[in-house]
Amino acid sequence: MVKHWQWLFIGLIGYCTSIASETLSTQSTPTAQLKHTVTASLQIDAVTVSPHSQGYFTDIGIKRALICHLPQLTACLHLLPQALQQQGVFSPQAIRAAMGYKSAMVLSAVDEHIAGIIVVNPTKDIVEQSGSIGLTTYQLPLPQQAQLTLWHEIGHLHNIRLQNHILPSSLTKYQHEWLADLYLLWRIAQHYSQLDLAWQQFHRRNLALINDSGNLSHWSAPQLQIVLTHYNIEQLQHFIRYDDFIAEVYPLMPLWSSRDMGEFSSLVQRTFGAGVVQPLPGYMFWRQPKLVEVLSPTLEQLMGKDATQQWLQNQFNTIQ
C-alpha cells in the first residue's frame, strides 16, 4: 500500500525542465456568464499571435511564456530566442516525446525574457469526466475546460516566478499542482461574474480522485474549497494582482506531509477501489472527517443530498 503512493511525492518542479500535464476539454454549455466577451477561449492570454506559427505569448511577470499548439509545434518554436532553440529540451522531438498522450504540458526555462513554454494538444480535448461510485457511473460536464487547463499551466509559471519571494523556495510536486489551480481560480474571478467554473474544477479534481487514487497528485479540491468558502466573487475580484491574492491565501493552506497524503490515498483506495468488497467504516477514522468534508459537495452534485448522506453513513463511522 505504501509503495503505491510514495512516487507521488518524489521530485520538485525545477526552473529548467519542469513538466506538468492536464486533460483538456473545450465543449459543452457554459455554466457562468462572461464578464468580458471572449471570442476564442484560448486567446484570452494572447499578446502576440502569428497566424503562420499558431504561437503566441502571454505575460509572466516581467517575462513571457510561449504558447504552442502541438500540430504547429515546429513553426511555433521558431518564436523562441535562438539560445533556447539550441537547447535539446526545447527541440520539437524532445517536446513531442515528453508530451506523449498528454493534452497539455508546461516547461519552465532559464532565460532573461522567456519564463517557459506551454504546449496544448487540441486533439485530446474532452467534454466530460466520468467516475464510478459503487455500481453507478457518473458524468461531469466540463464546459470551458480548455481555458481552465491553459490557466492552470500558466499558473505553474507564475508560481515558479514567486518562489523565493511570496512562496517558499522549495515546493513539492503536489504543492505546485494545487497552487496552479489557485491561480486558475483567481483568473476565473477576473474574467467571469460567477464562480461556477471554479466549482467545476473542484468537482473535477474530486471525481478524478474517486475514479483513481493515483490522481491524488492533482487533488487540489481541499485548497480550492478553502478559498471558495472564505471568499465570494466580489472579494476575489478585489485582488487585481495574483501576487496579492496568493500572498493572502497561501498561509491558509494545509501543509500535508507525504505520510498524510499516503493515508488519504489508502482511505480513498479502500473506499472507492475496484477491489473493495465491503465497507470498513472505521478504516483511517482520523482522516475520514476531512475526506468527507471535501468530497461531500461533489457527491451531492452527482448523487443528490439524501443519497449522499445515506452513502456516507454506510461508508464512514464518523458520520451520524
Side-chain angles (χ1 to χ4, degrees), residues 13-66:
I13 295 182
Y15 278 82
C16 183
T17 60
S18 65
I19 297 175
S21 63
E22 273 287 346
T23 299
L24 291 174
S25 170
T26 57
Q27 299 180 193
S28 196
T29 304
T31 58
Q33 296 296 317
L34 286 170
K35 287 177 59 184
H36 308 291
T37 300
V38 179
T39 57
S41 63
L42 289 179
Q43 300 300 321
I44 289 178
D45 291 283
V47 176
T48 302
V49 180
S50 168
H52 302 293
S53 67
Q54 298 298 308
Y56 56 95
F57 289 96
T58 188
D59 291 337
I60 306 292
I62 61 173
K63 297 185 180 183
R64 298 192 299 170
L66 176 62

Side-chain angles (χ1 to χ4, degrees), residues 38-109:
V38 179
T39 57
S41 63
L42 289 179
Q43 300 300 321
I44 289 178
D45 291 283
V47 176
T48 302
V49 180
S50 168
H52 302 293
S53 67
Q54 298 298 308
Y56 56 95
F57 289 96
T58 188
D59 291 337
I60 306 292
I62 61 173
K63 297 185 180 183
R64 298 192 299 170
L66 176 62
I67 300 175
C68 298
H69 288 185
L70 187 62
Q72 293 82 31
L73 179 63
T74 301
C76 181
L77 292 175
H78 287 311
L79 296 176
L80 289 174
Q82 192 65 31
L84 287 181
Q85 291 186 46
Q86 294 174 351
Q87 295 183 20
V89 70
F90 295 123
S91 70
Q93 297 80 7
I95 292 176
R96 288 181 185 278
M99 191 79 176
Y101 294 102
K102 302 181 185 75
S103 54
M105 182 179 73
V106 58
L107 297 91
S108 62

